[in-house]
Amino acid sequence: MNRLAYNKLVDRFFKLAALAATIVGLVFLFTLVWDIAHDGAGRISWSFLTSFPSRRPERAGILSALVGTIWIMGLTAVFAFPIGVGAGVYLEEYTKKKNLITRLIEINIANLAGVPSIIYGLLGLGIFVRALSLERSLLTGALTLTLLILPIIIISTREALKAVPFSIREASYALGATRWQTTYRQVLPVALPGILTGTILALSRAIGETAPLITIGALTYIAFLPESVFDPFTVLPIQIFNWVSRPQKGFAVNAAAAIIVLLVLTLILNSIAIYLRHRFQRRIRW
Amino acid sequence: MKSFLDRRSRQRIFERGIHAALLLCASLSIFTTIGIILALFFETFDFFKEVSIIEFLTDTQWTPLFVDKHFGILSLVAGTFIVSLIAMCVAIPLGILCAIYLSEYSSPRFREVVKPILEVLAGIPTVVYGYFALLFVTPLLKSFIPGLSGFNALSPGIVMGIMILPMVSSMSEDAMHAVPSSLREGAYALGATRFQVATKVVVPAALSGIMSSFVLAVSRAVGETMIVTIAAGQQPRFSLNPLVPIETITAYIVQVSLGDTPAGTIEHKTIFAAGMTLFIFTLALNLISNWLKERFREEYR
Amino acid sequence: MVDNDIVFQISNINAWYGEKHVLKDISMRIKQRKVTALIGPSGCGKSTFLRCLNRMNDFIHNFRLEGRILYKAQDLYSPETDPIEVRRTIGMVFQRPNPFPKSIYNNIAYGLQIFGIKDRAKLDAIVEDSLRKAALWDEVKDNLGQNGLALSGGQQQRLCIARAIAVNPEVILFDEPCSALDPVATAKIEDLIMELKNEYTVVIVTHNMQQAARVSDYTGFFMLGDLVEFDDTKKIFTTPANKLTEDYITGRFG
Amino acid sequence: MVDNDIVFQISNINAWYGEKHVLKDISMRIKQRKVTALIGPSGCGKSTFLRCLNRMNDFIHNFRLEGRILYKAQDLYSPETDPIEVRRTIGMVFQRPNPFPKSIYNNIAYGLQIFGIKDRAKLDAIVEDSLRKAALWDEVKDNLGQNGLALSGGQQQRLCIARAIAVNPEVILFDEPCSALDPVATAKIEDLIMELKNEYTVVIVTHNMQQAARVSDYTGFFMLGDLVEFDDTKKIFTTPANKLTEDYITGRFG
Amino acid sequence: YAHAARRLVKIDGSSTVFPITEAVAEEFQIEKRGRVMVTVGISGTGGGFKKFCRGEVDIVDASRPVKSVEAALCRKNGIEYIELPVAYDGIAVMVNPQNNWVDHLTVKELKKMWEPAAQGRITKWSQIRRGWPEREIHLFGPGVDSGTFDYFTKAIVGKSGASRGDFTASEDDNVLVQGIATDPDALGFFGLAYYEHNRDKLKLVPIDDGNDSNGKGPILPSAETVNKGTYQPLSRPVFIYVSKEAASRPEVDEFVSFYLENAGTLSAEVGYIPLPEDIYKRALRKFKKRKTGSVFGGKGAKMGVTIHDLVRH
Ligand SMILES: Nc1ncnc2c1ncn2[C@@H]1O[C@H](COP(=O)(O)OP(=O)(O)OP(=O)(O)O)[C@@H](O)[C@H]1O
Ligand SMILES: Nc1ncnc2c1ncn2[C@@H]1O[C@H](COP(=O)(O)OP(=O)(O)OP(=O)(O)O)[C@@H](O)[C@H]1O
Ligand SMILES: [Mg+2]
Ligand SMILES: [Mg+2]
């Protein structure tokens, strides 16, 4: 066999292997979703979405958990987005000169991105629950998740800013714009879809987090809706965790149904991200 | 004639204010780290007043909740290690292959559809994965590994690997995508196959991004909690056998967080010592990766 | 001793990127309402020099400058000088056209808006005027809402020129404005530059010697960080005083 | 009817990107061991045409080609033709130098290694030989381990040429190889191209007409996807048959 | 606090007691038509007391009596508590339905397989009782940090926390059900409620405590045997602890009264064993009198405390 045929064979084989790897992931996802849908789809109904938890599986619903999840996501986004973008902008636009402090911040952020979520739970417990005595409120939960996803947002903000050609900044400076004018009016709008994509993906990670919220003690039966950020809350993953560990079979079905709702939420968030990414990639033709 | 003298003092003050605000945002990360260290430090410190650090690091049993107490973190570390190792053995090859397929072989249409679908994998609550490992994967594995326990490191390891696969594939794909196509063209024009272009040109050029994805994935595996809590059993064991029940550091922290141990006792303080270990673990991992990244980059500008 | 005709009085400047010495003891006077061309082989420091004139090098962190640049008797690098104001007075057009990813209208209005001009009628007037001066008005007047990036390369470059004109600078610096363009577009830009000198002082970097010969009044030849020769364009291209200049120019055409 | 001198026999090709028709019914014959230049304004399809000749367009997913291209009597686009083999036989050098981020040595050895040549002595010999042919050997011989990206632009481009030569192609396609280079580097590359035609068939895209005039034997003038005129270079630049060609050429020099 | 306007009862603690408290909270809120809100958390008995003694919650669900460290912490913070039993939790010992050799187990046999000395040595069924097969025994139990585990070790081995370490532990009892249901060599123990809902997958083992005064021979757990005190020693009372200070708030007072009035029916509904009716009455009286302190003297799980001792006042 000559070299060319050999190369082509390797290439063909490798392509198959790579395709197989991709398909493994997809098959797994579909199995998982099918498995859950099989168990829970029949349970989803309007009353399931609008009832409070109950000891009777057939009467129980996810209203407080769903509302709690939406609150938590909203608050987390409100805290994490400006801070994350601010930090990203600072590191990317305001510190071209790498000094000790910025180096430290950079390494630190990379490190925080890898810190296990449960450690954030211990942090939230120590700082927000205890030191600031915010109790197990929406505020505590959202702040804890904010710290958890900040590194991800900062990193994706920086990537998005890096992708904006320097020529845009030069053009703006050359017109006599200040740094902030340049950043705010030229660079950020271009980077925004990328930043939003990163933020949304970070949020969709936060939405499924259980461990840190368990650690701060949010695992709760709640049969009312929060009225302010100081109110106690529960979220879907915790409701799911609670239900799967109950003896009655009906709760296992409820859990599956709640998982479907959670997946739909995640899917919605991801679709927005995809849409943004799509538009972003299409528009940029420098 | 125009003068360049400062006529914009208000704007200047505004600019300074913005600068300070942004700096504050960036330094929040430092405070977070300090917060983590403080949150863990005091109880860890108390813990080591009662348990010698030598015992902590050398004993091979971890039984703080039993009458006969041993505080050898190595058993939990071994559990964490074996599960993460299995996860990485699944996620890295699959993730890289997947990334290469999406970036170098597939049509853009296919990539646009598949990449986000895979990313959904990363957004599924980990509780769900835990039950999937326990109720689906373990029985499946049992049918061809007879010696497998109902709880083991293998099944959660595999499931965790699948869970972090999109992290590896997505971030690696991003890195590969960013490699200028001029490099690819250079290689194709020499008669290279896609395989050769992918492995000899694109992957080396994207190596630093690929490494970052590995490191984040490892950190995620090391820190993953619910899957192992549910599917790995809770038996601290100083062993690297993937077929028997084990316990990871994170699973232990959850166990005590949800348990009956009174606060203030030595048993309770163990979770902070364990948490500190975990933190130092991931810190070391990140520092090493940082070093690796600096070392192995093929910069293409 | 200040000559009213002299816009820039550059005295013995030296510049470094880190350890790399890229401008060596350069002195030059640039005249008002003239086109001054800077030529020389790649990497000789033309762009660096040009960017010293409006402090665009401030953004390069390892850049260092010594020496003095006076702009109409005022020290560009003195601590009281506001670089924002400098860059506003001394505009710049870059090698690759770099319109903002906004509409044509907003590309031009941006420079005015950041200085607080909000009056729509006034903006409209200036936008039209600048586009006319940049010889682009006829081509885009029906499409001012179109994205600036959707224009052809040559149109983009004229848009960038219009944008620079709009803020009413006194000097316009061009850094190889035609190197990304095809000949037809190049010719248009060259015509434009020759017109601009009626109102503005123009400094242009190019490595196309024909271009320098065609458009400029004065030419400076740089090599390896030195200003080898600076004189009337005609003189440089017919009877250069320096052997290096001659070699470079004839080498190109030979 | 196959002329031994003809390397490419291009018959009525049409090409599209998606809906956009970018090459319109083009036929051409390219002669062996000659330099053929393709000129024309930006966006007229020169690069597209060039990339059809070694199937580099295969990688653009919405690209479509109709018509026939014979390479020495072999249909380049027939299903039996192996595109890998085609690209190996017909090398290419790009507009911007694109060395791999590897050492100089490995940049050149790469093309050989992918075809299984591992013998170190043989590799050494070919590396040296290619670098000599690309007129780069003297400048880098003491530094073969240096990263290719650390070279100057002109050196990088010569490195890319050496890399293309190393795999021993029969044809080398150049897509605006000098547009990112300064005149001194350009002159070196031009010399090199003129030497290469002793051994290789060369096709070069350029929008610098002087360059086409200097280096080529035949010139094709493209405009808006049409091949307006194709003839001896001398004829094209002195007595073009087509008015468009004449306008374009004189517009440039005028 | 911002939610002072809303009348809120905050409860936290054991996951074992959670289903009962949740059921009570649900009914209570229905009755109050949303004028009072109740939150019930799960952070373990230990975690619950930690919050309770900091004054962060009003009531703690406890699957074991208060321990001395916790009592000390409460005292330090000036929190006084009223100890109220709310139901029995029967601990069921279970094997796989395919297991055809185990008909009953004695406390001695249980001790033999669970005591610390068994670790690594008692690995086969045949070592427990002669005639049982020569197969490996696989043990399952609740998380070693749970009240159930604590109680089981104290009742069977004699010292809480004294157990072999090589068994499969899980916080999540469904996980244990799964483990035992799929493994013919398995044996495990956990709350009776989990057996009730998985009868088809599990086989319940009668226990003989060797003491004929409380029922002769092996006894199966049931409401009757637990209540009569014949299913010994594997049934234990579970509690709520109410902060005396919080009890002065009307909503807490009402809630606890409602709890004790309805605990009988509701605990049965969620799979627990109700206390005798008069015990609830006496507990209510104890609460109304705000009798504080613990009858266990801060020693945690304790054998031989009769149900009547619990509500002495
Ligand atoms: N940011 C930088 N950091 C370090 N060195 C730089 C930087 N920018 C330019 N240089 C170096 O400074 C020297 C002068 O660069 P400059 O861009 O001024 O040259 P030029 O004459 O404009 O060349 P060209 O015609 O290629 O644009 C070159 O050797 C270049 O490599
Ligand atoms: N990948 C692509 N997708 C869609 N359109 C393309 C693509 N590549 C090129 N085109 C378009 O096809 C036409 C011909 O492009 P081509 O690159 O062949 O021109 P060219 O003559 O090489 O121009 P230049 O001198 O600027 O390199 C142009 O209008 C261009 O915009
Ligand atoms: Mg330059
Ligand atoms: Mg081209």
Side-chain angles (χ1 to χ4, degrees):
Chain A
M1 185 166 58
N2 76 16
R3 187 68 196 186
L4 200 77
Y6 169 78
N7 281 355
K8 278 175 66 175
L9 201 71
V10 171
D11 184 49
R12 184 101 21 104
F13 177 77
F14 185 77
K15 178 177 178 174
L16 282 179
L19 180 62
T22 312
I23 288 176
V24 164
L26 292 173
V27 163
F28 198 92
L29 178 73
F30 286 125
T31 316
L32 188 59
V33 169
W34 184 84
D35 191 38
I36 295 162
H38 181 73
D39 289 346
R43 180 70 182 85
I44 293 180
S45 64
W46 184 244
S47 78
F48 181 70
L49 297 177
T50 55
S51 304
F52 287 115
S54 162
R55 67 182 182 283
R56 300 211 183 92
E58 63 285 359
R59 224 167 58 186
I62 53 168
L63 182 60
S64 44
L66 186 59
V67 172
T69 292
I70 292 169
W71 263 96
I72 285 282
M73 284 303 109
L75 284 174
T76 305
V78 165
F79 295 139
F81 184 73
I83 299 176
V85 174
V89 165
Y90 181 80
L91 293 174
E92 208 50 50
E93 305 289 321
Y94 279 71
T95 59
K96 280 291 160 210
K97 202 179 278 178
K98 296 262 179 297
N99 58 30
L100 194 68
I101 294 181
T102 52
R103 278 290 291 159
L104 195 69
I105 293 179
E106 275 176 11
I107 293 178
N108 188 44
I109 287 171
N111 181 47
L112 284 177
V115 169
S117 58
I118 194 157
I119 302 270
Y120 283 97
L122 293 174
L123 172 70
L125 183 69
I127 292 190
F128 303 124
V129 179
R130 298 271 144 74
L132 300 178
S133 51
L134 294 172
E135 303 195 18
R136 284 145 193 86
S137 58
L138 282 169
L139 200 56
T140 303
L143 288 173
T144 305
L145 291 184
T146 297
L147 293 186
L148 175 71
I149 66 171
L150 259 185
I152 309 178
I153 296 186
I154 296 174
I155 290 168
S156 50
T157 300
R158 295 189 61 184
E159 291 306 319
L161 291 174
K162 273 199 194 114
V164 178
F166 191 72
S167 64
I168 291 292
R169 298 176 180 89
E170 276 188 327
S172 176
Y173 288 133
L175 292 172
T178 63
R179 203 181 273 273
W180 178 243
Q181 282 169 333
T182 302
T183 304
Y184 184 74
R185 302 210 27 189
Q186 299 299 349
V187 180
L188 276 180
V190 176
L192 196 63
I195 296 174
L196 284 177
T197 309
T199 307
I200 289 170
L201 291 179
L203 277 178
S204 76
R205 166 163 182 210
I207 209 174
E209 277 294 347
T210 321
L213 294 178
I214 286 180
T215 322
I216 64 167
L219 188 60
T220 323
Y221 164 81
I222 295 227
F224 55 89
L225 298 182
E227 284 173 358
S228 81
V229 296
F230 298 102
D231 282 349
F233 71 102
T234 186
V235 290
L236 281 170
I238 281 179
Q239 186 68 68
I240 292 163
F241 185 58
N242 182 344
W243 276 341
V244 290
S245 56
R246 306 281 285 256
Q248 293 95 322
K249 295 223 179 50
F251 282 125
V253 175
N254 282 359
I259 290 168
I260 295 174
V261 174
L262 189 57
L263 280 184
V264 169
L265 279 183
T266 319
L267 221 55
I268 291 173
L269 282 180
N270 279 286
S271 321
I272 299 173
I274 293 159
Y275 171 75
L276 288 170
R277 180 155 60 198
H278 200 71
R279 276 201 42 189
F280 183 53
Q281 284 182 343
R282 177 165 296 177
R283 216 186 64 195
I284 302 294
R285 285 181 295 120
W286 306 106
Chain B
M1 188 175 102
K2 278 195 181 172
S3 157
F4 298 147
L5 293 189
D6 197 348
R7 289 191 267 113
R8 311 176 302 124
S9 55
R10 256 185 54 208
Q11 204 176 24
R12 270 230 170 145
I13 292 168
F14 179 74
E15 288 281 322
R16 288 238 176 97
I18 292 279
H19 191 114
L22 295 177
L23 175 60
L24 195 70
C25 290
S27 39
L28 191 69
S29 69
I30 300 277
F31 295 130
T32 307
T33 304
I34 294 173
I36 289 176
I37 292 170
L38 284 185
L40 298 174
F41 179 77
F42 292 109
E43 309 240 15
T44 307
F45 187 73
D46 282 354
F47 175 81
F48 283 116
K49 279 202 285 207
E50 292 177 55
V51 175
S52 87
I53 200 150
I54 312 247
E55 184 194 342
F56 188 71
L57 294 180
T58 57
D59 196 335
T60 56
Q61 285 188 57
W62 178 261
T63 56
L65 302 169
F66 290 102
V67 175
D68 179 24
K69 295 192 189 330
H70 285 275
F71 299 95
I73 193 77
L74 284 180
S75 323
L76 295 183
V77 170
T80 305
F81 177 77
I82 183 73
V83 173
S84 309
L85 187 71
I86 295 168
M88 295 325 284
C89 287
V90 172
I92 288 186
L94 285 185
I96 282 288
L97 282 176
C98 193
I100 290 179
Y101 186 80
L102 292 180
S103 148
E104 305 299 315
Y105 283 95
S106 83
S107 72
R109 170 83 41 89
F110 185 81
R111 186 183 66 234
E112 267 173 37
V113 174
V114 168
K115 204 177 163 195
I117 291 183
L118 283 176
E119 278 166 0
V120 171
L121 273 176
I124 295 176
T126 52
V127 178
V128 180
Y129 282 105
Y131 278 90
F132 193 67
L134 180 67
L135 303 181
F136 191 90
V137 177
T138 300
L140 194 72
L141 290 174
K142 256 187 170 167
S143 59
F144 44 93
I145 309 178
L148 191 69
S149 313
F151 297 92
N152 55 69
L154 187 59
S155 155
I158 291 173
V159 170
M160 197 191 285
I162 297 284
M163 183 188 77
I164 53 184
L165 185 154
M167 208 162 159
V168 176
S169 69
S170 198
M171 287 180 60
S172 302
E173 203 272 334
D174 284 342
M176 292 182 197
H177 204 72
V179 173
S181 55
S182 66
L183 283 188
R184 289 188 187 88
E185 291 188 335
Y188 283 131
L190 295 174
T193 61
R194 281 184 195 261
F195 169 72
Q196 288 165 329
V197 172
T199 52
K200 297 232 181 76
V201 175
V202 179
V203 169
L207 202 62
S208 112
I210 294 174
M211 295 274 250
S212 308
S213 80
F214 289 176
V215 170
L216 270 187
V218 176
S219 307
R220 184 94 198 262
V222 166
E224 175 43 46
T225 310
M226 301 318 286
I227 299 179
V228 279
T229 302
I230 292 167
Q234 296 187 345
Q235 274 189 52
R237 188 191 295 262
F238 187 62
S239 144
L240 294 181
N241 181 355
L243 305 181
V244 295
I246 49 99
E247 180 160 39
T248 66
I249 300 178
T250 50
Y252 178 77
I253 295 175
V254 166
Q255 182 188 4
V256 176
S257 290
L258 285 176
D260 273 4
T261 300
T265 56
I266 181 76
E267 292 91 323
H268 194 257
K269 283 172 195 149
T270 53
I271 66 173
F272 293 92
M276 193 62 126
T277 311
L278 197 55
F279 181 70
I280 291 171
F281 228 60
T282 46
L283 183 71
L285 211 62
N286 277 292
L287 293 181
I288 291 170
S289 81
N290 218 37
W291 177 78
L292 281 177
K293 240 162 73 180
E294 296 292 323
R295 183 113 202 277
F296 289 107
R297 72 165 88 227
E298 268 192 4
E299 200 62 79
Y300 48 79
R301 265 180 300 179
Chain C
M1 207 216 68
V2 177
D3 181 343
N4 255 345
D5 260 18
I6 302 292
V7 188
F8 286 104
Q9 166 102 33
I10 297 133
S11 324
N12 305 91
I13 62 168
N14 281 279
W16 293 262
Y17 291 113
E19 293 298 292
K20 198 162 161 191
H21 196 172
V22 295
L23 291 178
K24 295 170 190 156
D25 208 35
I26 292 184
S27 302
M28 192 191 275
R29 292 164 160 215
I30 290 174
K31 288 249 182 86
Q32 194 158 32
R33 306 246 161 105
K34 296 286 175 198
V35 177
T36 304
L38 309 175
I39 61 171
S42 182
C44 64
K46 306 179 295 290
S47 297
T48 306
F49 177 79
L50 194 72
R51 296 160 67 95
C52 290
L53 300 184
N54 70 342
R55 296 193 56 173
M56 283 299 283
N57 278 328
D58 286 13
F59 302 105
I60 296 168
H61 67 277
N62 64 349
F63 178 80
R64 193 160 56 84
L65 183 76
E66 275 175 16
R68 209 162 59 145
I69 302 180
L70 293 185
Y71 175 77
K72 296 187 176 173
Q74 195 176 347
D75 185 348
L76 274 189
Y77 285 84
S78 92
E80 293 94 66
T81 302
D82 178 6
I84 304 288
E85 207 49 48
V86 169
R87 289 193 281 266
R88 187 160 182 84
T89 315
I90 304 166
M92 189 156 192
V93 174
F94 299 85
Q95 173 164 11
R96 299 189 144 253
N98 54 355
F100 300 124
K102 295 180 186 304
S103 70
I104 293 173
Y105 185 94
N106 283 330
N107 256 285
I108 296 173
Y110 172 73
L112 303 162
Q113 286 161 345
I114 58 176
F115 273 69
I117 301 177
K118 288 200 187 102
D119 177 1
R120 183 77 193 192
K122 199 164 168 190
L123 284 178
D124 285 353
I126 301 181
V127 167
E128 176 170 347
D129 187 51
S130 318
L131 283 170
R132 277 191 197 284
K133 280 194 191 144
L136 190 60
W137 175 250
D138 291 332
E139 289 163 57
V140 302
K141 62 169 180 272
D142 301 321
N143 263 320
L144 292 179
Q146 192 191 0
N147 195 310
L149 284 169
L151 297 173
S152 81
Q155 289 174 324
Q156 288 189 8
Q157 196 61 298
R158 276 178 284 154
L159 178 60
C160 292
I161 295 173
R163 184 175 69 185
I165 294 171
V167 298
N168 193 27
E170 299 177 359
V171 182
I172 304 179
L173 310 176
F174 289 86
D175 191 356
E176 306 192 17
C178 302
S179 76
L181 304 182
D182 63 288
V184 177
T186 301
K188 280 203 179 150
I189 304 280
E190 285 181 9
D191 287 349
L192 186 52
I193 290 172
M194 284 187 277
E195 249 175 58
L196 289 177
K197 75 172 167 185
N198 297 325
E199 283 185 63
Y200 307 94
T201 306
V202 171
V203 184
I204 175 170
V205 163
T206 173
H207 60 226
N208 180 336
M209 267 149 294
Q210 292 177 292
Q211 189 168 66
R214 280 194 298 266
V215 302
S216 72
D217 303 302
Y218 300 95
T219 298
F221 171 54
F222 281 77
M223 201 158 159
L224 293 172
D226 289 309
L227 177 60
V228 177
E229 192 166 351
F230 180 58
D231 214 325
D232 271 17
T233 298
K234 236 180 245 137
K235 175 135 191 302
I236 292 268
F237 281 91
T238 50
T239 51
N242 193 301
K243 181 77 173 61
L244 283 171
T245 316
E246 189 178 341
D247 282 356
Y248 184 69
I249 291 170
T250 51
R252 176 66 179 124
F253 293 125
Chain D
M1 205 213 75
V2 178
D3 181 343
N4 255 344
D5 261 17
I6 303 291
V7 188
F8 286 104
Q9 167 102 32
I10 296 133
S11 325
N12 305 91
I13 63 167
N14 281 277
W16 293 263
Y17 290 114
E19 292 299 290
K20 197 161 163 191
H21 197 170
V22 294
L23 289 179
K24 294 168 192 158
D25 207 35
I26 292 183
S27 301
M28 192 192 273
R29 290 167 161 213
I30 291 174
K31 289 248 182 88
Q32 193 159 33
R33 306 245 161 107
K34 297 283 173 201
V35 178
T36 304
L38 309 174
I39 61 172
S42 184
C44 63
K46 307 178 294 292
S47 297
T48 307
F49 177 78
L50 194 71
R51 295 160 66 94
C52 290
L53 300 185
N54 70 341
R55 298 194 55 174
M56 282 302 281
N57 279 327
D58 286 12
F59 303 107
I60 297 169
H61 68 281
N62 65 348
F63 177 79
R64 194 161 56 84
L65 182 76
E66 276 174 15
R68 208 163 59 144
I69 303 180
L70 293 184
Y71 174 75
K72 297 191 174 168
Q74 189 185 348
D75 184 348
L76 273 189
Y77 284 83
S78 91
E80 292 93 64
T81 303
D82 177 9
I84 305 284
E85 180 92 72
V86 167
R87 288 193 283 269
R88 187 157 183 88
T89 316
I90 304 166
M92 189 157 193
V93 174
F94 300 85
Q95 175 163 12
R96 298 187 146 253
N98 57 352
F100 302 125
K102 299 181 190 294
S103 69
I104 294 174
Y105 186 94
N106 283 332
N107 257 285
I108 296 173
Y110 176 79
L112 303 164
Q113 284 160 346
I114 59 177
F115 273 70
I117 301 177
K118 286 197 187 106
D119 176 1
R120 184 76 193 191
K122 199 165 169 190
L123 284 178
D124 285 354
I126 301 180
V127 167
E128 175 170 346
D129 187 51
S130 319
L131 284 171
R132 276 192 198 285
K133 281 195 190 146
L136 190 61
W137 175 251
D138 291 334
E139 290 163 56
V140 301
K141 63 169 181 272
D142 301 322
N143 263 321
L144 292 178
Q146 193 190 1
N147 195 309
L149 284 167
L151 297 174
S152 81
Q155 290 175 324
Q156 288 188 9
Q157 197 60 298
R158 277 177 283 152
L159 178 60
C160 292
I161 296 173
R163 185 175 69 184
I165 294 172
V167 298
N168 193 28
E170 297 175 1
V171 181
I172 305 179
L173 311 176
F174 289 87
D175 191 356
E176 305 191 19
C178 302
S179 76
L181 304 181
D182 64 287
V184 176
T186 300
K188 278 203 181 153
I189 304 279
E190 288 181 8
D191 289 349
L192 186 51
I193 290 172
M194 284 186 277
E195 247 176 59
L196 288 177
K197 75 172 166 182
N198 298 325
E199 284 183 60
Y200 307 94
T201 306
V202 171
V203 185
I204 174 170
V205 163
T206 173
H207 62 226
N208 180 334
M209 266 147 296
Q210 292 177 292
Q211 188 167 68
R214 280 194 298 268
V215 303
S216 70
D217 303 303
Y218 300 96
T219 296
F221 171 55
F222 281 77
M223 201 159 160
L224 295 172
D226 289 308
L227 177 60
V228 177
E229 193 168 349
F230 181 58
D231 215 326
D232 269 18
T233 298
K234 239 180 241 137
K235 176 133 191 307
I236 292 266
F237 282 92
T238 50
T239 52
N242 194 299
K243 182 79 172 61
L244 284 171
T245 316
E246 190 177 341
D247 283 355
Y248 183 69
I249 290 170
T250 52
R252 175 68 179 122
F253 294 127
Chain E
Y1 292 119
H3 51 257
R6 304 172 85 174
R7 300 204 294 152
L8 194 60
V9 180
K10 283 185 285 182
I11 307 166
D12 208 330
S14 164
S15 56
T16 309
V17 190
F18 175 82
I20 308 174
T21 305
E22 184 204 38
V24 174
E26 186 182 352
E27 290 305 317
F28 181 69
Q29 284 179 104
I30 290 169
E31 190 180 284
K32 289 285 163 195
R33 295 218 187 79
R35 287 193 305 276
V36 178
M37 339 246 154
V38 184
T39 67
V40 191
I42 299 179
S43 39
T45 307
F49 270 117
K50 184 169 183 184
K51 292 169 195 167
F52 181 76
C53 296
R54 287 165 172 271
E56 290 169 10
V57 297
D58 307 317
I59 297 169
V60 55
D61 287 339
S63 66
R64 55 153 172 82
V66 64
K67 291 195 175 178
S68 53
V69 261
E70 293 159 346
L73 185 61
C74 279
R75 206 171 316 123
K76 197 176 113 209
N77 294 331
I79 306 269
E80 291 182 281
Y81 47 79
I82 306 158
E83 178 181 77
L84 301 168
V86 293
Y88 280 116
D89 179 27
I91 297 174
V93 177
M94 230 80 57
V95 293
N96 186 282
Q98 286 175 41
N99 180 322
N100 52 13
W101 57 90
V102 175
D103 53 347
H104 77 277
L105 278 164
T106 67
V107 169
K108 262 217 189 93
E109 284 164 341
L110 279 173
K111 180 173 181 197
K112 194 168 172 190
M113 60 177 95
W114 283 99
E115 66 188 350
Q119 177 148 2
R121 295 195 312 129
I122 308 296
T123 56
K124 299 241 158 68
W125 283 99
S126 55
Q127 291 170 291
I128 312 288
R129 192 186 291 173
R130 203 168 317 149
W132 282 358
E134 191 70 25
R135 299 170 67 138
E136 264 187 40
I137 183 166
H138 297 153
L139 295 174
F140 293 80
V144 293
D145 201 14
S146 69
T148 311
F149 177 80
D150 204 45
Y151 188 85
F152 182 86
T153 46
K154 181 135 194 185
I156 299 295
V157 183
K159 191 165 192 311
S160 55
S163 155
R164 66 193 295 166
D166 52 350
F167 69 97
T168 300
S170 175
E171 282 314 311
D172 182 339
D173 293 344
N174 273 332
V175 166
L176 296 176
V177 169
Q178 201 58 37
I180 298 169
T182 57
D183 182 351
D185 296 324
L187 178 143
F189 66 90
F190 44 70
L192 192 54
Y194 283 84
Y195 169 72
E196 297 291 341
H197 291 97
N198 293 283
R199 283 168 177 277
D200 49 334
K201 293 189 203 151
L202 303 168
K203 182 174 147 190
L204 193 56
V205 181
I207 304 295
D208 182 358
D209 69 345
N211 177 355
D212 289 351
S213 67
N214 52 22
K216 198 165 149 40
I219 308 273
L220 272 174
S222 70
E224 198 194 338
T225 55
V226 168
N227 242 327
K228 279 207 190 124
T230 58
Y231 182 66
Q232 287 285 12
L234 292 181
S235 63
R236 55 165 179 164
V238 294
F239 307 87
I240 58 173
Y241 285 75
V242 185
S243 154
K244 188 179 171 193
E245 195 192 330
S248 62
R249 304 210 316 267
E251 63 271 20
V252 175
D253 183 77
E254 284 168 42
F255 177 76
V256 174
S257 306
F258 185 87
Y259 203 131
L260 294 171
E261 282 156 16
N262 296 281
T265 45
L266 291 177
S267 61
E269 191 184 325
V270 293
Y272 290 75
I273 297 152
L275 303 171
E277 206 39 53
D278 68 310
I279 300 292
Y280 285 119
K281 292 213 174 79
R282 289 165 66 178
L284 186 57
R285 280 206 294 282
K286 177 180 176 183
F287 173 65
K288 289 293 178 201
K289 288 197 175 140
R290 304 287 193 262
K291 169 101 173 55
T292 60
S294 167
V295 297
F296 299 89
K299 297 241 172 45
K302 184 176 174 187
M303 297 305 110
V305 173
T306 68
I307 200 68
H308 294 277
D309 295 339
L310 295 177
V311 290
R312 248 182 2 218
H313 48 269

